[in-house]
Amino acid sequence: MSGEDAPAQQQNAEEQKNQETKKPAEEPKAETKPDSPPASAATEAAAAPAAAEKAPEEEAFTYRSLVLTGYGGYDKVKLQVKKGKPALKAGEVMVRVKMCGLNFADLMARQGLYDRLPSPPVTPGMECSGIIEAVGEEVTDRKVGDKVLALSRCGMWQEVVVVPTTHTFIMPEGMSFEEAAALPVNYITAYMMLFDFGHLRPNQSVLVHMAAGGVGIAATQMCRTVKDVTVFGTASASKHEVITEGGVTHAIDYRTKDYVEEVRKISPKGLDIVLDPLGGSDTHKGYNLLKPMGKLISYGAANMLSGQKKNLIAVAKTWYHQFSVHSLSLIQGNRSVCGFHLGYLDTETELIAQAMDSILGLYRQGKVKPRIDSTFHLEQVGDAMRKMQERNNIGKIVLTTEPMKEEEKKEEAKKDDKKDDKKKDDKKKDDKKKEEGKKEEKKKEEGKKEEKKEEKKEEKKEEKKEEKKEEKKEEKKEEKKEEAKKAEN
């Protein structure tokens, strides 16, 4: 209701009251703006249907979202439909998401090992790319239609997200939505570790664990931007060709070789920088590999992740081997230990923006470029997580918000059926093996019984022989006695 409507309505009420009581009513004073009340009424009348139309439209607004329903296996992340248009606050933008990034932290979050994710039910995901669909008040540097990549503590795995404009960055010309979703977490992590903490310089040496992963490839590319940097990269043998082409100087198969020995063979003095995402005993090894003035940068605890669900033994083992060092040891060794966690820098917008600007500059120059391993639909998030957890990816795994086509769904259903059939076949095989095992056990038991019977028979034979011997002895004794009696007579 406008301010001009109030006196008009009050006046009408008084006139009606006077007419009902048949008392003379005073003539109303002339309004200075006689046309205002009708105009306001017309405005309200026009606004009413508009509001009525707007409300159903907002209520009808839906978008798909991946939700972590509880801690555990891959099936704990479910695709749900949310209703209602997200509200925009001042300084925020609404993004129609095209692609989302999958990170190792998301796997740990599913198991309840990542403390920056709120308790379930919650939408995971720390990065995405898309197109701005709406802007809030006070937003001057973004507009509807801008292609952006976005970074947040969580909530990115859905078709629509609302984030502060300071958490978005304009995509460079020619960058794909897949690359944009693959960039923020991995490249900011690699950049800040190597240049803010590590102060990487020419002719230095760096150890990159999980060199075929998202951060590993980003770190390798960052090292190539500095002259004559030697990169030691650990990865399974099948990935060595790719990481070597990407810039790793010495690829080490951590499954078959001791990476500490391999590094020492090539660089006896040690390393300048060790990037450690593993934790536990590997942190100790990394620290001992540092040369004087070397830096260990710890940024994860991947050794805790073992299997679909939380493995308490792996967690306990990692914590038991937790790295600790005395300040005097640091002083005498001339080494430094740093810790990096991007999730705890979410309020440091200026720091993140500076790093992102430098990374986007390197992208424009063609010095860095995310490697996309594979793209999965939101419906396939379990398969995506499984691939990363089993270390079968080379580069970034991304999720697309584009719905699966019916044909693809049928194919997925067939795959699921095949998986179920395979599980059934495996179960049948296991059952058969168990049955065969039971039969073998029965045969063994029967064999043992037969052996025991034979043994008993042999024992009885021996007993009989012994008895016969005893009888013969007794007979001989009796014969001797008889002979003795005869002799006496």
Side-chain angles (χ1 to χ4, degrees):
M1 183 185 295
S2 68
E4 294 177 354
D5 290 333
Q9 288 189 2
Q10 185 178 359
Q11 176 182 311
N12 293 336
E14 287 177 0
E15 287 179 354
Q16 188 177 355
K17 188 176 180 183
N18 290 334
Q19 287 176 359
E20 287 175 357
T21 54
K22 295 182 180 180
K23 289 182 180 179
E26 293 182 3
E27 291 186 2
K29 294 180 181 179
E31 294 283 345
T32 54
K33 294 180 181 178
D35 295 335
S36 296
S40 300
T43 306
E44 279 194 6
E53 287 176 8
K54 189 178 179 183
E57 183 187 344
E58 288 184 358
E59 288 177 8
F61 189 94
T62 61
Y63 56 99
R64 299 182 308 150
S65 173
L66 287 171
V67 178
L68 178 66
T69 57
Y71 301 129
Y74 306 125
D75 59 338
K76 292 297 182 181
V77 183
K78 301 183 185 298
L79 187 59
Q80 298 179 0
V81 176
K82 293 184 178 180
K83 294 181 180 179
K85 202 168 189 176
L88 274 176
K89 296 178 183 176
E92 292 183 335
V93 295
M94 184 167 73
V95 179
R96 176 65 63 172
V97 178
K98 295 292 185 180
M99 297 284 170
C100 316
L102 175 64
N103 293 286
F104 216 82
D106 298 316
L107 305 183
M108 300 189 76
R110 195 194 71 241
Q111 293 190 4
L113 297 172
Y114 186 74
D115 57 1
R116 293 301 285 164
L117 187 74
S119 300
V122 61
T123 295
M126 294 176 282
E127 59 192 344
C128 72
S129 62
I131 301 171
I132 292 180
E133 213 168 64
V135 297
E137 295 179 2
E138 301 176 12
V139 176
T140 58
D141 56 347
R142 299 286 183 272
K143 65 182 184 300
V144 173
D146 281 346
K147 293 180 180 180
V148 295
L149 52 91
L151 182 69
S152 184
R153 196 174 79 177
C154 64
M156 298 286 100
W157 286 1
Q158 50 191 6
E159 290 179 323
V160 176
V161 298
V162 171
V163 290
T165 185
T166 52
H167 289 204
T168 65
F169 305 89
I170 299 294
M171 289 169 51
E173 193 69 31
M175 177 181 278
S176 68
F177 286 114
E178 288 91 346
E179 290 175 337
L183 201 75
V185 172
N186 293 159
Y187 280 78
I188 291 173
T189 298
Y191 182 90
M192 297 185 79
M193 287 194 300
L194 287 170
F195 298 117
D196 290 332
F197 269 145
H199 299 290
L200 182 63
R201 298 188 298 280
N203 301 309
Q204 290 193 324
S205 55
V206 182
L207 173 61
V208 179
H209 284 292
M210 299 167 68
V215 175
I217 286 177
T220 303
Q221 290 180 4
M222 293 292 177
C223 287
R224 290 181 70 178
T225 65
V226 180
K227 188 179 179 182
D228 296 330
V229 171
T230 302
V231 180
F232 294 84
T234 64
S236 56
S238 61
K239 301 174 182 179
H240 283 190
E241 185 179 349
V242 174
I243 64 173
T244 301
E245 289 174 358
V248 170
T249 318
H250 304 288
I252 303 169
D253 184 1
Y254 66 95
R255 294 180 178 178
T256 58
K257 294 180 180 179
D258 184 342
Y259 65 85
V260 174
E261 290 181 6
E262 294 301 308
V263 170
R264 289 289 184 193
K265 286 177 188 176
I266 299 164
S267 181
K269 289 185 178 181
L271 302 166
D272 294 291
I273 299 172
V274 172
L275 304 181
D276 171 39
L278 304 174
S281 59
D282 286 288
T283 310
H284 291 268
K285 293 177 182 178
Y287 180 76
N288 291 329
L289 275 173
L290 294 177
K291 63 171 66 169
M293 303 306 292
K295 305 172 187 70
L296 169 72
I297 304 165
S298 179
Y299 69 102
N303 285 335
M304 283 188 184
L305 204 64
S306 176
Q308 271 199 62
K309 300 178 182 179
K310 185 192 289 184
N311 187 327
L312 294 176
I313 294 173
V315 173
K317 189 178 178 182
T318 304
W319 277 107
Y320 179 77
H321 292 290
Q322 186 83 351
F323 176 74
S324 62
V325 62
H326 197 279
S327 58
L328 285 177
S329 177
L330 287 173
I331 294 168
Q332 293 165 0
N334 287 292
R335 298 167 178 169
S336 63
V337 178
C338 310
F340 182 84
H341 195 310
L342 184 59
Y344 282 90
L345 290 176
D346 53 346
T347 57
E348 300 295 328
T349 53
E350 289 184 13
L351 197 62
I352 297 298
Q354 288 172 5
M356 201 68 215
D357 287 343
S358 298
I359 293 164
L360 293 175
L362 292 172
Y363 177 88
R364 292 186 185 96
Q365 296 169 34
K367 293 183 177 180
V368 300
K369 184 179 178 67
R371 178 190 173 92
I372 307 300
D373 173 86
S374 50
T375 302
F376 290 83
H377 291 277
L378 295 180
E379 294 91 332
Q380 300 170 307
V381 64
D383 294 331
M385 290 190 293
R386 182 182 288 104
K387 186 171 188 179
M388 178 176 279
Q389 190 159 331
E390 292 176 357
R391 315 288 174 88
N392 291 327
N393 60 300
I394 302 178
K396 188 75 169 184
I397 297 174
V398 295
L399 303 172
T400 175
T401 59
E402 182 183 346
M404 289 181 71
K405 295 176 182 178
E406 288 301 320
E407 293 176 2
E408 291 176 328
K409 286 181 181 179
K410 287 177 183 178
E411 287 296 323
E412 283 295 313
K414 285 180 183 178
K415 286 180 184 178
D416 291 337
D417 290 339
K418 285 181 181 178
K419 285 178 184 177
D420 291 337
D421 291 339
K422 191 179 179 183
K423 284 180 182 177
K424 287 177 183 178
D425 290 338
D426 291 340
K427 193 177 180 183
K428 284 179 182 178
K429 287 178 183 177
D430 290 338
D431 291 338
K432 281 182 182 179
K433 284 181 182 178
K434 286 178 183 178
E435 287 297 323
E436 288 173 1
K438 286 178 181 179
K439 286 179 182 178
E440 287 295 322
E441 287 295 324
K442 283 182 181 179
K443 284 181 181 179
K444 286 179 182 178
E445 289 295 325
E446 288 174 0
K448 286 179 181 178
K449 286 179 181 178
E450 290 296 325
E451 286 177 4
K452 285 181 180 178
K453 284 180 182 179
E454 291 296 325
E455 286 176 2
K456 285 181 180 179
K457 284 179 182 179
E458 290 296 324
E459 285 176 3
K460 285 180 180 179
K461 285 180 182 179
E462 290 294 325
E463 285 175 2
K464 284 180 181 179
K465 285 180 182 179
E466 289 296 325
E467 286 175 1
K468 284 180 181 179
K469 284 181 181 179
E470 289 297 325
E471 286 175 1
K472 286 181 180 180
K473 284 180 182 179
E474 289 297 325
E475 286 176 1
K476 286 180 180 180
K477 283 180 182 179
E478 289 297 326
E479 287 176 359
K480 284 181 181 180
K481 284 180 182 179
E482 289 294 327
E483 288 174 0
K485 283 180 183 180
K486 286 179 182 180
E488 285 176 3
N489 293 331

